[in-house]
Amino acid sequence: MGRPLEILPIINRLGFFDPFTAQEKRRMVSDDTHFRVYNPGEMLIRQGHSDQSLFIILTGTVNITEGAGGTILAVLKAGDIFGEMAFLTDTRRTANVVARESVIALKLDRVLFEQLSPEIREKFKDRIIEKMVARLDAANKELSRLNAAVNAASSESLQSMGTQAGLSISDSPLPVFVSGRELIRKIISNTASLPAMPEVMLKVQQMINKPGTTPAQLAKIIEIDPAMVTGILKVANSAYYGFRGKVTTIQHASALFGTRRLAELISAVSACGVLGRSLDGYGLKAGDMWRHSIAVAYTAGEIAAAVGSDAPDSAYMAGLLHDVGKIILDPYVRDRKVLFDNYTATYPEKPLQDAERAILGFDHAVIAAILCDNWNLPRAISFGIRHHHQPSSAGDHQLSHIVHLADYITIQASVGVAGTAFCQALDESSRSLVPVDPNTLTAATQAARHYVKSLTGNMLNS
């Protein structure tokens, strides 16, 4: 690391070091062993490790990520601290920390910290506590803001309904529903209401994540299920694949499709039982959501492959399950139908998820992510689903943007959409984070249209 004069101007600019005297700052920078330079992409902390260093960012930014998929949980900048929990409590690291750009950080382990003077140590402790309290305060304020927004929106909808009926809110017999965190707790506590992931889908997801998985191995998962085999063979012999009448065994089909396509097809067919049901609250007939979901899944997989993503199978699965939260929320939406109808009439230009947030306190993407976590799917998938309506809130987490873009273009092209008018705005940040040629997107939606038609004709007979 550089000389003291190179560090002093930096820490003098950071508010974190305001309580320290000029002499204390010079004493800190006199020992270069406290300071580290990290290159872009370099890992400062690895999840699960037991090191206990505390970091203070002097320049640059870092990503806080979780799991092998690199789900971005936060972005920290100069003046922020991280690693304080392990430093204070001897716990293992709960996340990865990766440099987004070149980073200079003050790194303090227990030994180095104890070598500092008592006055400096106490000031560090005070600043650490202040930072932690500020984080808790910000979190509490955000929760309060969300609760207030939910309550205000619900009151506004109730008031509007009462006015239209010629009633004041005080004499209206309209019911009051739970929402927000209370409703989420109610849903989660009623585990019996959470649909089980089809066993075949789960096995496929587990196998596809193992290097070297072959189509023949995937075929063995379904060869003892006559209904599944029949469904796959019907699709294989459809006009879409051009094998009409030529594919007679699942082994033959597996050889023709290849690992990725066979895994996608098995997942799509097995998901029909979960996603193919009618949802009265959302106005979806049987098969509507499944058609839309397989269209988004196929398009997301094609986009992921086009941009060089190393996990098009994850993109397909995230696209397939991006709306699964509607299955759980449907009875709650149905019970509040008057509120939803009123919201739609009042704000016709706003998408469905806005109505969900105003009336329920959260949208179906939140519940879908919870369900995917309950199914033990990779965290990157549940995170991508959670943020697919507003992917900019997920930073540069590419899967979130891929699913968002796939959802948007399939809706705009009316691919797989049936029975319900969807409304979705494009998050412009996705254009830069998912740099796909427009011609590629057009080709993907056209292929998705044929893909949906093939599966629909053979699975739903419609």
Side-chain angles (χ1 to χ4, degrees), residues 77-157:
K77 61 184 184 304
D80 288 332
I81 67 171
F82 58 90
E84 69 276 8
M85 292 307 297
F87 181 78
L88 296 172
T89 64
D90 294 334
T91 55
R92 289 184 177 272
R93 301 299 194 180
T94 59
N96 300 312
V97 181
V98 183
R100 289 170 62 95
E101 54 195 320
S102 183
V103 169
I104 300 175
L106 170 58
K107 179 181 179 182
L108 291 172
D109 59 23
R110 294 287 181 80
V111 174
L112 290 175
F113 188 74
E114 292 301 324
Q115 290 175 355
L116 297 172
S117 70
E119 295 81 10
I120 292 178
R121 288 204 304 269
E122 287 305 310
K123 288 182 180 180
F124 266 116
K125 289 178 182 178
D126 288 342
R127 296 301 280 157
I128 292 169
I129 292 172
E130 289 173 13
K131 286 284 188 180
M132 295 175 71
V133 169
R135 287 178 186 172
L136 288 173
D137 184 54
N140 286 331
K141 286 180 178 178
E142 178 64 11
L143 287 174
S144 298
R145 185 191 67 79
L146 290 172
N147 280 336
V150 169
N151 292 334
S154 297
S155 297
E156 180 183 344
S157 294

Coordinates of all heavy atoms in Angstrom, one line a residue, residues 77-157:
K77 N -20.6 1.9 -0.4 CA -19.7 2.9 -1.0 C -18.7 3.4 0.1 O -18.7 3.0 1.2 CB -20.5 4.0 -1.6 CG -21.4 4.8 -0.5 CD -22.2 5.8 -1.2 CE -23.0 6.6 -0.2 NZ -23.8 5.8 0.7
A78 N -17.9 4.4 -0.3 CA -16.9 5.0 0.6 C -17.6 5.5 1.8 O -18.6 6.2 1.8 CB -16.1 6.1 -0.2
G79 N -17.0 5.2 3.0 CA -17.5 5.6 4.3 C -18.3 4.5 4.9 O -18.6 4.6 6.1
D80 N -18.8 3.5 4.2 CA -19.6 2.4 4.7 C -18.7 1.4 5.4 O -17.5 1.2 5.0 CB -20.4 1.7 3.6 CG -21.6 2.6 3.2 OD1 -22.0 3.4 4.0 OD2 -22.0 2.5 2.0
I81 N -19.2 0.6 6.3 CA -18.5 -0.5 6.9 C -19.2 -1.8 6.7 O -20.4 -1.8 6.4 CB -18.3 -0.3 8.5 CG1 -19.7 -0.4 9.1 CG2 -17.7 1.1 8.8 CD1 -19.6 -0.4 10.7
F82 N -18.4 -2.9 6.7 CA -19.0 -4.2 6.7 C -18.1 -5.2 7.4 O -17.0 -4.9 7.7 CB -19.2 -4.6 5.2 CG -18.0 -4.7 4.3 CD1 -17.2 -5.8 4.3 CD2 -17.6 -3.5 3.6 CE1 -16.1 -5.8 3.5 CE2 -16.5 -3.6 2.8 CZ -15.7 -4.7 2.8
G83 N -18.7 -6.3 7.7 CA -18.0 -7.4 8.5 C -18.0 -7.2 10.0 O -17.4 -7.9 10.7
E84 N -18.8 -6.2 10.4 CA -18.8 -5.8 11.8 C -19.4 -6.9 12.7 O -19.0 -7.1 13.9 CB -19.5 -4.5 12.1 CG -21.0 -4.5 11.9 CD -21.4 -4.3 10.4 OE1 -20.5 -4.3 9.5 OE2 -22.6 -4.1 10.2
M85 N -20.4 -7.7 12.2 CA -21.1 -8.7 13.0 C -20.1 -9.9 13.3 O -20.0 -10.3 14.5 CB -22.3 -9.3 12.3 CG -23.4 -8.3 12.1 SD -23.9 -7.5 13.7 CE -24.5 -9.0 14.6
A86 N -19.3 -10.3 12.3 CA -18.3 -11.4 12.6 C -17.2 -10.8 13.5 O -16.7 -11.5 14.4 CB -17.8 -11.9 11.3
F87 N -16.9 -9.5 13.3 CA -15.9 -8.9 14.1 C -16.3 -8.8 15.6 O -15.5 -9.0 16.5 CB -15.6 -7.5 13.6 CG -14.5 -6.7 14.3 CD1 -13.2 -7.0 14.0 CD2 -14.9 -5.7 15.2 CE1 -12.2 -6.2 14.7 CE2 -13.9 -5.0 15.9 CZ -12.5 -5.3 15.6
L88 N -17.6 -8.6 15.8 CA -18.0 -8.4 17.2 C -18.5 -9.6 17.9 O -18.4 -9.8 19.1 CB -19.2 -7.3 17.2 CG -18.8 -5.9 16.8 CD1 -20.1 -5.1 16.7 CD2 -17.9 -5.3 17.8
T89 N -19.0 -10.6 17.1 CA -19.7 -11.8 17.7 C -19.1 -13.1 17.4 O -19.7 -14.1 17.8 CB -21.2 -11.8 17.2 OG1 -21.2 -12.0 15.8 CG2 -21.9 -10.5 17.6
D90 N -18.0 -13.2 16.7 CA -17.4 -14.5 16.3 C -18.2 -15.4 15.5 O -18.0 -16.6 15.4 CB -17.0 -15.2 17.6 CG -15.9 -14.5 18.4 OD1 -15.1 -13.7 17.8 OD2 -15.9 -14.7 19.6
T91 N -19.2 -14.8 14.7 CA -20.0 -15.7 13.9 C -19.4 -15.8 12.5 O -18.5 -15.0 12.1 CB -21.4 -15.0 13.7 OG1 -21.3 -13.7 13.2 CG2 -22.2 -15.0 15.0
R92 N -19.8 -16.8 11.7 CA -19.3 -17.0 10.4 C -19.9 -16.0 9.4 O -21.0 -15.4 9.7 CB -19.6 -18.4 9.9 CG -18.8 -19.5 10.6 CD -19.1 -20.9 10.0 NE -18.3 -21.9 10.6 CZ -17.1 -22.2 10.2 NH1 -16.6 -21.6 9.1 NH2 -16.4 -23.2 10.8
R93 N -19.2 -15.7 8.3 CA -19.7 -14.8 7.4 C -21.0 -15.2 6.7 O -21.2 -16.4 6.3 CB -18.7 -14.6 6.2 CG -17.3 -14.1 6.7 CD -17.4 -12.8 7.4 NE -16.0 -12.2 7.6 CZ -15.8 -11.0 8.1 NH1 -16.8 -10.3 8.6 NH2 -14.5 -10.5 8.2
T94 N -22.0 -14.3 6.6 CA -23.3 -14.7 6.1 C -23.5 -14.3 4.7 O -24.5 -14.5 4.1 CB -24.4 -14.0 7.0 OG1 -24.2 -12.6 6.9 CG2 -24.4 -14.5 8.4
A95 N -22.5 -13.6 4.1 CA -22.6 -13.2 2.7 C -21.2 -13.0 2.1 O -20.2 -13.0 2.8 CB -23.4 -11.9 2.6
N96 N -21.1 -12.9 0.8 CA -19.9 -12.6 0.1 C -19.8 -11.1 -0.1 O -20.8 -10.4 -0.2 CB -19.9 -13.2 -1.3 CG -19.9 -14.7 -1.3 OD1 -19.2 -15.4 -0.5 ND2 -20.8 -15.3 -2.1
V97 N -18.6 -10.5 -0.1 CA -18.4 -9.1 -0.5 C -17.4 -9.1 -1.6 O -16.2 -9.6 -1.5 CB -17.9 -8.3 0.7 CG1 -17.7 -6.9 0.4 CG2 -18.8 -8.4 1.9
V98 N -17.8 -8.5 -2.7 CA -16.9 -8.5 -3.9 C -16.8 -7.0 -4.4 O -17.7 -6.3 -4.5 CB -17.6 -9.3 -5.1 CG1 -16.7 -9.4 -6.3 CG2 -17.9 -10.7 -4.6
A99 N -15.5 -6.7 -4.8 CA -15.3 -5.3 -5.3 C -15.9 -5.1 -6.6 O -15.7 -5.9 -7.6 CB -13.8 -5.1 -5.4
R100 N -16.7 -4.1 -6.8 CA -17.3 -3.7 -8.1 C -16.3 -3.0 -9.0 O -16.4 -3.1 -10.2 CB -18.5 -2.8 -7.8 CG -19.7 -3.4 -7.2 CD -20.8 -2.4 -6.8 NE -21.3 -1.6 -7.9 CZ -22.4 -1.9 -8.6 NH1 -23.1 -2.9 -8.2 NH2 -22.8 -1.1 -9.6
E101 N -15.4 -2.3 -8.3 CA -14.4 -1.5 -9.0 C -13.2 -1.6 -8.1 O -13.2 -2.2 -7.1 CB -14.9 -0.1 -9.2 CG -15.3 0.6 -8.0 CD -16.1 1.9 -8.2 OE1 -15.7 2.6 -9.1 OE2 -17.1 2.1 -7.5
S102 N -12.1 -0.9 -8.5 CA -10.9 -0.8 -7.6 C -11.3 -0.2 -6.3 O -12.0 0.8 -6.2 CB -9.8 0.0 -8.3 OG -8.7 0.0 -7.5
V103 N -11.0 -0.9 -5.2 CA -11.4 -0.5 -3.8 C -10.2 -0.4 -2.9 O -9.3 -1.2 -3.0 CB -12.4 -1.5 -3.2 CG1 -12.6 -1.3 -1.7 CG2 -13.7 -1.5 -4.0
I104 N -10.1 0.7 -2.1 CA -9.2 0.8 -1.0 C -10.0 0.7 0.2 O -11.0 1.4 0.4 CB -8.4 2.2 -1.1 CG1 -7.6 2.3 -2.4 CG2 -7.4 2.3 0.1 CD1 -6.9 3.6 -2.5
A105 N -9.5 -0.2 1.1 CA -10.3 -0.4 2.4 C -9.3 -0.5 3.6 O -8.2 -0.9 3.4 CB -11.1 -1.7 2.3
L106 N -9.8 0.0 4.7 CA -9.1 -0.2 6.0 C -9.6 -1.5 6.5 O -10.8 -1.7 6.8 CB -9.4 1.0 6.9 CG -9.0 0.8 8.4 CD1 -7.5 0.6 8.5 CD2 -9.4 2.0 9.2
K107 N -8.7 -2.5 6.7 CA -9.0 -3.8 7.2 C -8.4 -4.0 8.6 O -7.2 -3.9 8.8 CB -8.5 -4.9 6.2 CG -8.8 -6.3 6.7 CD -8.2 -7.3 5.7 CE -8.5 -8.7 6.2 NZ -7.9 -9.7 5.3
L108 N -9.3 -4.3 9.5 CA -8.8 -4.5 10.9 C -9.3 -5.8 11.4 O -10.5 -6.1 11.5 CB -9.5 -3.4 11.8 CG -9.0 -1.9 11.6 CD1 -9.8 -1.0 12.5 CD2 -7.5 -1.8 12.0
D109 N -8.3 -6.7 11.8 CA -8.6 -7.9 12.5 C -8.4 -7.7 14.0 O -8.1 -6.6 14.4 CB -7.8 -9.1 12.0 CG -6.3 -8.8 12.2 OD1 -5.9 -8.0 13.0 OD2 -5.5 -9.5 11.4
R110 N -8.7 -8.7 14.8 CA -8.6 -8.5 16.2 C -7.2 -8.1 16.7 O -7.1 -7.2 17.6 CB -9.0 -9.8 16.9 CG -10.5 -10.2 16.7 CD -11.4 -9.3 17.5 NE -12.8 -9.7 17.3 CZ -13.4 -10.7 17.9 NH1 -12.7 -11.5 18.7 NH2 -14.7 -11.0 17.7
V111 N -6.2 -8.7 16.1 CA -4.8 -8.4 16.6 C -4.5 -7.0 16.3 O -4.0 -6.2 17.1 CB -3.8 -9.4 15.9 CG1 -2.4 -9.0 16.2 CG2 -4.1 -10.8 16.3
L112 N -4.7 -6.5 15.0 CA -4.4 -5.1 14.6 C -5.2 -4.1 15.5 O -4.7 -3.1 15.9 CB -4.7 -4.9 13.2 CG -3.7 -5.6 12.2 CD1 -4.1 -5.5 10.8 CD2 -2.3 -5.1 12.4
F113 N -6.5 -4.5 15.7 CA -7.4 -3.6 16.5 C -6.8 -3.4 17.9 O -6.8 -2.3 18.4 CB -8.8 -4.2 16.5 CG -9.8 -3.2 17.1 CD1 -10.2 -2.1 16.4 CD2 -10.3 -3.5 18.4 CE1 -11.2 -1.3 16.9 CE2 -11.2 -2.6 18.9 CZ -11.7 -1.5 18.2
E114 N -6.4 -4.5 18.5 CA -5.9 -4.4 19.9 C -4.6 -3.6 20.0 O -4.2 -3.1 21.0 CB -5.7 -5.8 20.5 CG -7.0 -6.5 20.7 CD -7.9 -5.8 21.7 OE1 -7.4 -5.1 22.6 OE2 -9.2 -5.8 21.4
Q115 N -3.9 -3.5 18.8 CA -2.6 -2.7 18.8 C -2.8 -1.2 18.7 O -1.9 -0.5 19.0 CB -1.8 -3.2 17.6 CG -1.2 -4.6 17.7 CD -0.5 -5.1 16.5 OE1 -0.5 -4.4 15.5 NE2 0.1 -6.3 16.6
L116 N -4.1 -0.8 18.4 CA -4.4 0.6 18.4 C -4.5 1.1 19.8 O -4.7 0.4 20.8 CB -5.7 0.8 17.7 CG -5.8 0.4 16.2 CD1 -7.2 0.5 15.7 CD2 -4.8 1.3 15.3
S117 N -4.3 2.4 19.9 CA -4.4 3.0 21.3 C -5.8 2.9 21.8 O -6.8 2.8 21.0 CB -4.0 4.5 21.2 OG -5.0 5.2 20.5
P118 N -6.0 2.9 23.1 CA -7.3 2.8 23.7 C -8.3 3.9 23.2 O -9.5 3.6 23.0 CB -7.1 2.9 25.2 CG -5.7 2.4 25.4 CD -5.0 2.9 24.2
E119 N -7.8 5.1 23.0 CA -8.6 6.2 22.6 C -9.1 6.0 21.2 O -10.3 6.2 20.9 CB -7.8 7.5 22.6 CG -7.4 8.0 24.0 CD -6.1 7.3 24.4 OE1 -5.5 6.6 23.6 OE2 -5.8 7.5 25.6
I120 N -8.3 5.5 20.3 CA -8.7 5.2 18.9 C -9.7 4.0 18.9 O -10.7 4.0 18.1 CB -7.4 4.9 18.0 CG1 -6.6 6.2 17.9 CG2 -7.9 4.3 16.7 CD1 -5.3 6.0 17.0
R121 N -9.4 3.0 19.7 CA -10.3 1.8 19.7 C -11.7 2.2 20.1 O -12.7 1.8 19.5 CB -9.8 0.7 20.7 CG -8.5 0.0 20.2 CD -8.4 -1.4 20.8 NE -8.4 -1.3 22.3 CZ -7.3 -1.1 23.0 NH1 -6.1 -1.1 22.4 NH2 -7.3 -1.1 24.3
E122 N -11.8 3.1 21.2 CA -13.1 3.5 21.6 C -13.8 4.3 20.6 O -15.1 4.2 20.4 CB -13.0 4.3 22.9 CG -12.6 3.5 24.1 CD -13.6 2.4 24.4 OE1 -14.8 2.6 24.4 OE2 -13.1 1.2 24.5
K123 N -13.1 5.1 19.9 CA -13.8 5.9 18.8 C -14.3 5.0 17.7 O -15.3 5.3 17.1 CB -12.8 7.0 18.3 CG -12.6 8.1 19.3 CD -11.7 9.2 18.7 CE -11.5 10.3 19.8 NZ -10.6 11.4 19.3
F124 N -13.5 4.0 17.3 CA -13.9 3.0 16.3 C -15.2 2.3 16.8 O -16.1 2.2 16.0 CB -12.8 2.0 16.1 CG -11.9 2.3 14.9 CD1 -10.6 2.6 15.1 CD2 -12.5 2.4 13.6 CE1 -9.8 2.9 14.0 CE2 -11.6 2.7 12.5 CZ -10.3 3.0 12.7
K125 N -15.2 1.9 18.0 CA -16.4 1.2 18.6 C -17.6 2.1 18.5 O -18.7 1.7 18.1 CB -16.1 0.8 20.0 CG -15.1 -0.4 20.1 CD -14.9 -0.7 21.6 CE -13.9 -1.9 21.7 NZ -13.6 -2.2 23.2
D126 N -17.4 3.4 18.9 CA -18.5 4.3 18.8 C -19.1 4.5 17.4 O -20.3 4.5 17.2 CB -18.1 5.7 19.4 CG -17.9 5.7 20.9 OD1 -18.4 4.8 21.5 OD2 -17.2 6.6 21.4
R127 N -18.2 4.6 16.5 CA -18.6 4.8 15.1 C -19.3 3.5 14.5 O -20.3 3.6 13.8 CB -17.4 5.1 14.2 CG -16.7 6.4 14.5 CD -17.7 7.6 14.4 NE -17.8 8.1 13.0 CZ -18.9 8.7 12.6 NH1 -19.9 9.0 13.4 NH2 -18.9 9.1 11.3
I128 N -18.8 2.4 14.9 CA -19.4 1.1 14.5 C -20.9 1.0 15.0 O -21.8 0.7 14.3 CB -18.6 -0.1 14.9 CG1 -17.3 -0.1 14.2 CG2 -19.4 -1.4 14.7 CD1 -16.3 -1.1 14.8
I129 N -21.0 1.4 16.3 CA -22.3 1.3 16.9 C -23.3 2.3 16.2 O -24.4 2.1 15.9 CB -22.2 1.6 18.4 CG1 -21.5 0.4 19.1 CG2 -23.6 1.8 19.0 CD1 -21.2 0.7 20.6
E130 N -22.7 3.5 15.9 CA -23.6 4.6 15.2 C -24.0 4.1 13.9 O -25.2 4.3 13.5 CB -22.8 5.8 15.1 CG -22.5 6.6 16.4 CD -21.6 7.8 16.2 OE1 -21.3 8.1 15.1 OE2 -21.1 8.3 17.2
K131 N -23.1 3.4 13.1 CA -23.5 2.9 11.8 C -24.6 1.8 11.9 O -25.5 1.8 11.1 CB -22.2 2.3 11.1 CG -21.3 3.3 10.6 CD -21.8 3.9 9.3 CE -20.7 4.8 8.7 NZ -21.2 5.4 7.4
M132 N -24.4 0.9 12.9 CA -25.4 -0.1 13.1 C -26.8 0.4 13.5 O -27.8 0.0 13.0 CB -24.9 -1.1 14.1 CG -23.7 -1.9 13.7 SD -23.0 -3.0 15.0 CE -24.2 -4.3 15.0
V133 N -26.8 1.4 14.4 CA -28.0 2.0 14.8 C -28.7 2.8 13.6 O -29.9 2.7 13.4 CB -27.8 3.0 16.0 CG1 -29.0 3.9 16.2 CG2 -27.4 2.3 17.2
A134 N -27.9 3.4 12.8 CA -28.4 4.1 11.6 C -29.1 3.1 10.6 O -30.1 3.4 10.1 CB -27.3 4.9 10.9
R135 N -28.4 1.9 10.5 CA -29.0 0.9 9.6 C -30.4 0.5 10.1 O -31.4 0.3 9.4 CB -28.1 -0.3 9.5 CG -26.9 0.0 8.6 CD -26.0 -1.2 8.5 NE -24.7 -0.9 7.8 CZ -23.7 -1.7 7.8 NH1 -23.8 -2.9 8.4 NH2 -22.6 -1.4 7.1
L136 N -30.4 0.2 11.4 CA -31.7 -0.3 12.1 C -32.7 0.8 11.9 O -33.9 0.6 11.7 CB -31.5 -0.6 13.5 CG -30.7 -1.9 13.8 CD1 -30.4 -2.0 15.3 CD2 -31.5 -3.1 13.3
D137 N -32.4 2.1 12.1 CA -33.3 3.2 12.1 C -33.8 3.3 10.7 O -35.0 3.5 10.5 CB -32.6 4.5 12.5 CG -33.6 5.7 12.5 OD1 -34.6 5.6 13.2 OD2 -33.3 6.7 11.9
A138 N -33.0 3.2 9.7 CA -33.4 3.3 8.3 C -34.4 2.2 7.9 O -35.4 2.4 7.2 CB -32.2 3.3 7.3
A139 N -34.1 0.9 8.4 CA -34.9 -0.2 8.2 C -36.3 0.0 8.8 O -37.3 -0.3 8.2 CB -34.3 -1.5 8.7
N140 N -36.3 0.5 10.0 CA -37.6 0.8 10.7 C -38.4 1.8 10.0 O -39.6 1.8 9.9 CB -37.3 1.2 12.2 CG -36.9 0.0 13.0 OD1 -37.3 -1.1 12.7 ND2 -36.1 0.3 14.0
K141 N -37.7 2.9 9.5 CA -38.4 4.0 8.8 C -39.0 3.5 7.5 O -40.1 3.8 7.2 CB -37.5 5.1 8.6 CG -37.1 6.0 9.8 CD -36.2 7.1 9.4 CE -35.9 8.0 10.7 NZ -34.9 9.0 10.4
E142 N -38.3 2.6 6.8 CA -38.8 2.0 5.6 C -40.0 1.2 5.8 O -41.0 1.2 5.1 CB -37.7 1.2 4.9 CG -38.1 0.6 3.6 CD -38.5 1.6 2.5 OE1 -38.3 2.8 2.7 OE2 -39.1 1.2 1.5
L143 N -40.0 0.4 6.9 CA -41.1 -0.5 7.2 C -42.3 0.4 7.6 O -43.5 0.1 7.2 CB -40.8 -1.4 8.4 CG -39.9 -2.6 8.1 CD1 -39.5 -3.3 9.4 CD2 -40.5 -3.5 7.1
S144 N -42.1 1.5 8.3 CA -43.2 2.4 8.7 C -43.8 3.0 7.5 O -45.0 3.2 7.4 CB -42.7 3.4 9.7 OG -42.2 2.8 10.9
R145 N -42.9 3.4 6.6 CA -43.3 4.1 5.3 C -44.2 3.2 4.5 O -45.3 3.5 4.0 CB -42.2 4.6 4.5 CG -42.5 5.3 3.3 CD -41.4 5.5 2.3 NE -40.9 4.3 1.7 CZ -41.5 3.7 0.7 NH1 -42.6 4.3 0.2 NH2 -41.0 2.6 0.2
L146 N -43.8 1.9 4.4 CA -44.5 0.9 3.6 C -45.9 0.6 4.3 O -46.9 0.6 3.6 CB -43.7 -0.4 3.5 CG -42.5 -0.3 2.6 CD1 -41.7 -1.6 2.7 CD2 -42.9 0.0 1.1
N147 N -45.9 0.5 5.6 CA -47.1 0.3 6.3 C -48.1 1.4 6.1 O -49.3 1.3 5.9 CB -46.9 0.0 7.8 CG -46.4 -1.4 8.1 OD1 -46.7 -2.3 7.3 ND2 -45.7 -1.6 9.2
A148 N -47.6 2.7 6.2 CA -48.4 3.8 6.0 C -49.0 3.9 4.6 O -50.1 4.3 4.4 CB -47.6 5.1 6.3
A149 N -48.1 3.6 3.6 CA -48.6 3.6 2.3 C -49.7 2.6 2.0 O -50.7 2.9 1.4 CB -47.4 3.3 1.3
V150 N -49.5 1.4 2.6 CA -50.6 0.3 2.5 C -51.9 0.8 3.1 O -52.9 0.7 2.5 CB -50.1 -1.0 3.1 CG1 -51.2 -2.0 3.2 CG2 -48.9 -1.6 2.3
N151 N -51.8 1.3 4.4 CA -53.0 1.7 5.1 C -53.7 2.9 4.4 O -54.9 2.9 4.3 CB -52.6 2.1 6.5 CG -52.1 1.0 7.3 OD1 -52.5 -0.2 7.1 ND2 -51.3 1.2 8.3
A152 N -52.9 3.8 3.8 CA -53.5 5.0 3.1 C -54.2 4.5 1.9 O -55.3 5.0 1.6 CB -52.4 6.0 2.8
A153 N -53.5 3.6 1.1 CA -54.1 3.1 -0.1 C -55.4 2.4 0.1 O -56.4 2.5 -0.6 CB -53.1 2.3 -0.9
S154 N -55.4 1.5 1.2 CA -56.6 0.7 1.5 C -57.7 1.7 1.9 O -58.9 1.5 1.6 CB -56.2 -0.2 2.6 OG -55.3 -1.2 2.2
S155 N -57.4 2.7 2.8 CA -58.4 3.6 3.2 C -59.0 4.4 2.1 O -60.2 4.7 2.0 CB -57.8 4.6 4.2 OG -57.4 3.9 5.4
E156 N -58.1 4.8 1.1 CA -58.6 5.5 -0.1 C -59.5 4.7 -0.9 O -60.5 5.2 -1.4 CB -57.4 6.0 -0.9 CG -57.7 6.8 -2.1 CD -56.5 7.1 -3.0 OE1 -55.4 7.0 -2.5 OE2 -56.7 7.4 -4.2
S157 N -59.2 3.4 -1.1 CA -60.0 2.6 -1.8 C -61.4 2.4 -1.2 O -62.4 2.4 -1.8 CB -59.3 1.2 -2.1 OG -58.2 1.3 -2.8

